[in-house]
């Protein structure tokens, strides 16, 4: 069945469930949501309508003043929300300032291949290639051996990386853990790939024993594997070396598999963590991607996708209209984003990035320890800054701190802009609110053992069990 999915438990091929959204997160600002029937509904009460100006333009001054007032209020709102954005991985500590403000005067478009010129001369290709070279060095692949581009975000990175795998192995089976980002499964649907969902451990790490069992069920077809370098909800890092070992144990030689590494957040952090496993093209991987707006920080969503040059030749097409070759997903591409990335990487360098990574790891441990001391179920994976804990009882509190939730758990992603002061404000409010939720004894802390493991669960039952085991 084309574009099908194999169930986690049964291992049988089935159609992708309607609305299936592993690693899914709540819609933003409640502008668009789904009702209980699953239908999309619009809440139009918070839109800013576009109105026509007067024909004689006599009230242009008043109109501009009204728009300026509205934008000033919006700026205040964004500033307030920026200080309370804890659930989503984005670095809001932006330091581009006036240095790059002049870029807004130009429409920079990097359409086509970054390494080939174009008739559209208002572009930033020289900055884009500088960024790509930096990541190629980080992931240990020579300049003449790689190809890549700056994308419009992590989803486009995954769309491209998985497409490369599909182009190399048109009849390949796609494998991804149940904790993979929803864009991974979107890619499988878009490309009509047979997709096998692999079990995950409670930590969110791919279960390689289950992967091996499912590989053996399809050993006559090549394997296209998604490896998570930090899962969406739990921040789990799949063991790349173990995945490669598992493929070989299942008798898949290197010419019969393709690995895409989705490193949206932790792909840029891992190289600066001591004793962390390496992401390297010296290993038999096909592509690696990161989001540029997450840890690095950028005012526009963007990503970096790197693959092997010999993989891309078959995908490239000459485009006369732009006088370039193209193997990207989108046509027009944001030319501002590469400059923002180039500026930040030059400004911070390896030393600055390493310092920020270490600070985030320390602050994540601080948050985890504080939550645990308050008797709150909590888990923090090794190499991660994603702190997972029991979902707060109050949805207003969830929205106030913009927490990402899935089922009975929520998380905070500790980024460079999240200081211990902000964490303390969040913790103090959570502790007060929680005491109110639980004060009459009618509501008990939710059991999240199935989500994060019984050793991390502080519900009444597991609290007693864990206490007796210590």
């Amino acid at each position: 069945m084309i574009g099908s999915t194999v169930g986690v438990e049964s291992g049988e091929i089935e159609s992708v469930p309607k609305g299936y959204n592993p690693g899914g997160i709540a819609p933003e600002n409640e502008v668009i949501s789904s009702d209980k029937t699953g239908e999309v509904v619009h809440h139009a009460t918070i839109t800013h309508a576009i109105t026509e100006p007067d024909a004689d333009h006599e009230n242009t001054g008043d109109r501009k003043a009204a728009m300026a007032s509205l934008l000033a209020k919006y700026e205040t709102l964004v500033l307030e929300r920026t200080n309370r954005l804890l659930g989503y991985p984005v670095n809001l500590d932006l330091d581009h300032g006036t240095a790059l403000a002049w870029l807004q005067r130009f429409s920079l478009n990097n359409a086509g291949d970054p390494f080939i010129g174009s008739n559209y001369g208002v572009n930033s290709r020289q900055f884009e290639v500088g960024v790509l070279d930096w990541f190629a060095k980080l992931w240990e692949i020579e300049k003449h051996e790689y190809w890549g581009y700056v994308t419009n975000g992590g989803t486009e990175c995954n769309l491209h990386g998985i497409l490369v795998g599909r182009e190399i192995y048109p009849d390949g089976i796609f494998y991804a853990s149940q904790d993979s980002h929803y864009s991974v499964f979107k890619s499988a649907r878009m490309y009509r790939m047979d997709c096998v969902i692999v079990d995950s451990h409670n930590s969110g790490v791919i279960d390689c024993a289950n992967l091996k069992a499912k590989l053996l069920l399809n050993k006559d077809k090549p394997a296209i594997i998604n490896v998570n370098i930090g899962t969406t909800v739990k921040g789990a890092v799949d063991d790349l070396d173990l995945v490669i070992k598992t493929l070989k144990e299942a008798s898949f030689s290197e010419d019969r598999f393709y690995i895409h590494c989705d490193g949206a957040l932790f792909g840029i952090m891992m190289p600066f963590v001591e004793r962390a496993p390496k992401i390297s093209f010296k290993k038999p991987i096909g592509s690696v991607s990161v989001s540029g707006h997450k840890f690095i920080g950028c005012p526009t969503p963007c990503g970096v996708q790197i693959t092997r040059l010999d993989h891309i030749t078959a995908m490239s097409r000459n485009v006369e209209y732009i006088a370039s070759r193209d193997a990207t997903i989108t046509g027009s591409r944001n030319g501002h984003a590469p400059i923002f990335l180039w500026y930040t990487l030059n400004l911070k360098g390896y030393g600055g990035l390493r310092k920020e990574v270490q600070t985030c790891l320390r602050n994540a441990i601080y948050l985890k320890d504080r939550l645990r001391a308050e008797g709150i179920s909590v888990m923090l994976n090794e190499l991660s800054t994603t702190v997972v804990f029991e979902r707060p009882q109050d949805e207003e509190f969830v929205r106030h701190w913009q927490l990402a939730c899935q089922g009975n758990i929520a998380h905070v992603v500790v980024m460079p802009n999240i200081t211990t002061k902000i964490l303390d404000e969040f913790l103090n409010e959570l502790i007060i609110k929680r005491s109110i939720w639980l004060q009459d004894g009618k509501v008990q802390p939710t059991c999240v053992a199935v989500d994060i493991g019984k050793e991390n669960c502080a519900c009444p039952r597991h609290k007693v069990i864990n206490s007796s085991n210590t």
Side-chain angles (χ1 to χ4, degrees):
M1 183 187 297
I2 301 299
S4 57
T5 300
V6 175
V8 176
E9 296 179 359
S10 66
E12 297 178 355
I13 292 180
E14 57 188 27
S15 60
V16 179
K18 183 180 179 181
Y20 180 65
N21 188 13
I25 42 188
E28 188 175 348
N29 297 338
E30 296 186 305
V31 176
I32 299 176
S33 62
S34 296
D35 62 16
K36 292 181 180 179
T37 66
E39 296 299 320
V40 174
V41 293
H42 289 254
H43 299 278
T45 56
I46 54 174
T47 62
H48 296 305
I50 297 174
T51 59
E52 284 297 305
D54 295 337
D56 56 9
H57 301 289
E58 288 185 359
N59 297 320
T60 299
D62 292 342
R63 187 177 183 83
K64 286 185 175 179
M67 289 192 292
S69 175
L70 178 63
L71 290 170
K73 291 176 181 177
Y74 177 67
E75 181 183 14
T76 300
L77 175 66
V78 171
L79 286 170
E80 290 174 354
R81 288 183 172 175
T82 294
N83 291 328
R84 300 193 305 269
L85 180 55
L86 296 188
Y88 299 89
V90 56
N91 182 359
L92 298 175
D93 189 13
L94 303 178
D95 190 28
H96 306 108
T98 56
L100 300 180
W102 59 272
L103 287 172
Q104 296 180 64
R105 292 162 41 214
F106 302 100
S107 178
L108 303 178
N109 191 330
N110 287 6
D113 192 315
F115 302 92
I116 300 175
S118 165
N119 283 351
Y120 191 97
V122 188
N123 63 65
S124 63
R125 276 177 165 77
Q126 61 271 52
F127 293 95
E128 181 175 17
V129 174
V131 170
L132 296 173
D133 284 347
W134 189 90
F135 277 97
K137 181 180 178 181
L138 188 72
W139 294 326
E140 300 183 323
I141 185 169
E142 297 296 326
K143 289 184 180 182
H144 66 278
E145 294 179 338
Y146 90 88
W147 185 91
Y149 73 107
V150 174
T151 72
N152 294 300
T155 290
E156 185 181 346
C157 287
N158 287 337
L159 284 168
H160 191 275
I162 294 166
L163 178 61
V164 173
R166 202 282 308 268
E167 291 295 290
I168 296 170
Y169 300 117
D171 63 338
I173 304 292
F174 182 49
Y175 300 84
S177 81
Q178 64 189 62
D179 279 69
S180 298
H181 190 261
Y182 65 86
S183 65
V184 169
F185 300 97
K186 178 192 290 187
S187 301
R189 291 196 301 273
M190 288 178 66
Y191 302 144
R192 296 184 177 274
M193 300 169 74
D194 286 342
C195 176
V196 175
I197 302 176
V198 181
D199 292 349
S200 299
H201 296 291
N202 283 335
S203 65
V205 171
I206 190 170
D207 182 342
C208 281
N210 187 251
L211 172 62
K212 183 177 180 180
K214 290 179 176 177
L215 285 167
L216 291 173
L217 291 174
N218 301 285
K219 58 185 178 182
D220 59 325
K221 292 188 176 182
I224 302 166
I225 312 282
N226 179 76
V227 171
N228 294 306
I229 313 301
T231 57
T232 308
V233 175
K234 298 179 181 178
V237 176
D238 291 340
D239 189 331
L240 174 59
D241 293 333
L242 184 56
V243 169
I244 294 170
K245 181 183 177 184
T246 301
L247 282 160
K248 293 181 178 179
E249 287 176 350
S251 299
F252 282 79
S253 55
E254 290 184 11
D255 62 347
R256 294 189 63 242
F257 68 79
Y258 177 95
I259 295 174
H260 170 64
C261 297
D262 177 9
L265 173 58
F266 296 110
I268 182 63
M269 299 175 68
M270 288 262 290
F272 303 104
V273 179
E274 292 182 10
R275 296 182 296 279
K278 265 192 174 185
I279 307 167
S280 171
F281 278 93
K282 291 181 179 179
K283 300 175 182 180
I285 62 175
S287 52
V288 185
S289 63
V290 298
S291 294
H293 58 285
K294 290 183 178 174
F295 188 79
I296 298 173
C298 184
T300 60
C302 60
V304 174
Q305 163 73 356
I306 299 285
T307 187
R308 297 181 187 274
L309 182 60
D310 57 1
H311 290 342
I312 215 69
T313 304
M315 291 178 56
S316 297
R317 297 291 184 273
N318 289 320
V319 183
E320 184 179 3
Y321 177 70
I322 59 174
S324 182
R325 284 179 67 80
D326 182 48
T328 63
I329 296 293
T330 58
S332 293
R333 292 190 294 109
N334 187 335
H336 292 78
I339 301 178
F340 286 117
L341 295 176
W342 174 89
Y343 183 85
T344 301
L345 293 173
N346 266 300
L347 196 65
K348 295 181 179 179
Y350 282 3
L353 291 170
R354 182 176 291 106
K355 183 178 179 182
E356 288 190 344
V357 169
Q358 295 303 321
T359 299
C360 289
L361 289 169
R362 283 197 304 271
N363 288 348
I365 293 171
Y366 171 79
L367 174 58
K368 182 257 297 181
D369 289 344
R370 283 281 317 268
L371 287 167
R372 184 159 289 168
E374 294 296 331
I376 298 173
S377 301
V378 61
M379 178 184 75
L380 174 62
N381 274 306
E382 189 179 5
L383 310 174
S384 178
T385 62
T386 300
V387 183
V388 186
F389 54 99
E390 63 188 62
R391 182 173 184 158
Q393 304 279 344
D394 186 348
E395 290 304 309
E396 183 179 343
F397 178 85
V398 168
R399 287 193 297 272
H400 178 76
W401 288 99
Q402 299 164 77
L403 302 177
C405 300
Q406 181 173 282
N408 290 325
I409 56 176
H411 75 208
V412 166
V413 185
V414 179
M415 301 300 290
N417 63 294
I418 304 299
T419 63
T420 52
K421 180 182 178 181
I422 293 174
L423 293 176
D424 282 338
E425 291 175 6
F426 164 73
L427 285 160
N428 292 339
E429 186 175 342
L430 175 62
I431 291 166
I432 292 171
K433 293 280 189 181
R434 195 168 182 267
S435 67
I436 296 171
W437 304 330
L438 305 178
Q439 64 182 352
D440 58 7
K442 293 181 181 178
V443 177
Q444 292 293 321
T446 304
C447 179
V448 291
V450 69
D451 300 292
I452 60 176
K454 60 185 180 181
E455 68 278 9
N456 297 308
C457 183
C459 74
R461 175 171 173 259
H462 288 104
K463 187 174 183 179
V464 172
I465 294 173
N466 291 334
S467 298
S468 63
N469 291 335
T470 56

